[in-house]
Amino acid sequence: MTPFFSVILPSYNVEKYLDRCVKSFLAQSFTDYEIIIVDDGSTDRTGEIADFYVGKYDFIKCIHKANGGLSSARNAGIAEAKGQFIHMCDADDWVTPTFLEVIATKAIGDIGRASQVPDIVKFNYYRHVDGKTTLCKNILQEGSYDSVEDIDLLMKEALKSVNSYVLSAWSHIYRRDFLIENNLTFVSERKVKLFSIRKSLL
């Protein structure tokens, strides 16, 4: 049976945080999901913690791989994902109990009925610093952005207001078929650095 969500947790030496992250998904009010932990060559107990959850829950999987960086771990998770929608959560983060329910019923459900099923859903998030919790709101108005003009405007705003429009992978939900059909993957951080070095020499 195809789950609604595939939750991908790229994990490298996160033994202090992985348990909290996984438990926050186990506490979800919306339960039609799978969890894919990608142990990216960790040298601490990350892999051991992941295997504990795999042995306890049949909807949790773990990929143990050689260290390749965050992008490599995300790509490995996408390749394994079976869900209709994909969320990539950093393993040192956690989510509220209604997180998946709100995305499934309000964002995907309401927008899907209004037009077409969205390819990407963006959401607000909380930042926790020194014991203080702050709601970080998106600069975009809530709604559906379908036209080429809308998307062009969205991208301009995103590039102009990076601090108000977080581009991080964890702040979006992706329709799996959209990623697969367009062959969209994450670029290796090492390749990006190499490109930057070469460009600076020109």
Side-chain angles (χ1 to χ4, degrees):
M1 185 175 178
T2 302
F4 195 82
F5 287 109
S6 288
V7 176
I8 299 172
L9 307 180
S11 305
Y12 176 72
N13 288 356
V14 288
E15 63 177 6
K16 294 180 180 179
Y17 312 105
L18 183 58
D19 188 64
R20 178 183 64 183
C21 181
V22 173
K23 284 181 177 177
S24 75
F25 283 100
L26 293 177
Q28 291 297 295
S29 55
F30 185 91
T31 58
D32 188 7
Y33 64 90
E34 64 175 356
I35 297 175
I36 302 170
I37 303 170
V38 184
D39 172 23
D40 190 38
S42 298
T43 57
D44 63 359
R45 293 182 56 252
T46 295
E48 181 182 334
I49 295 169
D51 288 340
F52 166 79
Y53 282 108
V54 170
K56 196 170 182 180
Y57 300 95
D58 60 6
F59 58 89
I60 299 182
K61 307 171 187 176
C62 181
I63 301 170
H64 296 283
K65 61 182 288 297
N67 180 254
L70 181 57
S71 293
S72 172
R74 286 170 174 163
N75 291 336
I78 292 171
E80 180 67 23
K82 301 295 188 294
Q84 298 177 57
F85 292 89
I86 291 175
H87 173 53
M88 284 164 276
C89 182
D90 289 351
D92 58 347
D93 292 336
W94 68 98
V95 294
T96 59
T98 58
F99 171 66
L100 293 180
E101 180 182 2
V102 170
I103 298 295
T105 59
K106 185 176 181 183
I108 294 173
D110 287 352
I111 292 175
R113 281 191 291 272
S115 55
Q116 61 182 6
V117 176
D119 294 324
I120 302 173
V121 175
K122 184 160 182 60
F123 48 83
N124 298 326
Y125 65 97
Y126 291 95
R127 185 180 297 276
H128 302 270
V129 179
D130 297 329
K132 182 180 179 182
T133 301
T134 305
L135 174 61
C136 300
K137 290 189 175 182
N138 209 306
I139 60 170
L140 299 176
Q141 293 296 316
E142 183 176 315
S144 177
Y145 294 81
D146 297 326
S147 69
V148 174
E149 291 76 19
D150 283 344
I151 295 171
D152 283 346
L153 177 62
L154 183 153
M155 292 308 300
K156 288 176 182 176
E157 288 299 318
L159 294 173
K160 184 173 68 175
S161 310
V162 175
N163 292 331
S164 303
Y165 186 105
V166 177
L167 293 167
S168 301
W170 52 259
S171 64
H172 301 78
I173 300 286
Y174 307 89
R175 186 169 63 85
R176 177 182 174 277
D177 286 350
F178 170 71
L179 297 179
I180 301 301
E181 290 165 3
N182 292 282
N183 196 30
L184 297 175
T185 57
F186 288 87
V187 178
S188 167
E189 296 88 346
R190 293 164 187 164
K191 290 181 180 178
V192 171
K193 290 178 182 177
L194 180 60
F195 172 78
S196 298
I197 293 171
R198 285 178 176 170
K199 186 175 180 181
S200 68
L201 295 176
L202 295 179

